[in-house]
Amino acid sequence: MDQMFCVYLLASRPYGTLYCGHTDDLARRIWEHKQKVRKSFTSKYGVDRLVWYEMGDTREGAFTRERQIKKWNRAWKIQLIEALNPTWSDLSETLNC
């Protein structure tokens, strides 16, 4: 099976603090955020709700998309989230990884 790469957005709560990242193992990375494995921005601010993600074929593509989204203003990020997930549900509960 080919490896997939993922860009994702986390939130502390609906309309709360946002975080954008990329990974090659979404389930593991979300688990790390929820368990506060690393002393980081997400653990400090309680940002662990997966509210949006996008799969891709290459690490470079995921990295580029992450950098693009990080430059966006907050309103654009919220529109991106709400187009996929209008209730801001924690999508990690339905991941098939």
Side-chain angles (χ1 to χ4, degrees):
M1 182 175 164
D2 293 327
Q3 187 170 13
M4 294 295 291
F5 300 90
C6 183
V7 181
Y8 61 93
L9 284 166
L10 301 178
S12 58
R13 58 183 168 73
Y15 304 100
T17 303
L18 299 177
Y19 171 83
C20 184
H22 78 279
T23 184
D24 61 1
D25 188 340
L26 184 58
R28 175 191 49 80
R29 190 68 185 108
I30 298 306
W31 180 87
E32 290 174 354
H33 285 297
K34 290 186 176 294
Q35 299 302 313
K36 299 176 178 29
V37 170
R38 301 176 185 165
K39 300 263 188 239
S40 65
F41 176 87
T42 59
S43 62
K44 181 176 180 180
Y45 294 100
V47 182
D48 65 4
R49 179 192 298 230
L50 178 65
V51 292
W52 176 89
Y53 65 97
E54 179 178 279
M55 303 304 288
D57 294 329
T58 67
R59 185 178 309 279
E60 295 77 21
F63 179 76
T64 299
R65 181 73 164 142
E66 174 193 6
R67 293 294 174 229
Q68 176 189 44
I69 292 169
K70 283 186 173 187
K71 291 179 183 175
W72 288 4
N73 67 46
R74 181 176 173 80
W76 294 353
K77 294 173 191 175
I78 289 171
Q79 286 177 347
L80 186 67
I81 293 164
E82 291 187 336
L84 173 74
N85 185 4
T87 62
W88 292 68
S89 300
D90 188 346
L91 302 175
S92 69
E93 297 171 2
T94 59
L95 279 180
N96 282 333
C97 299

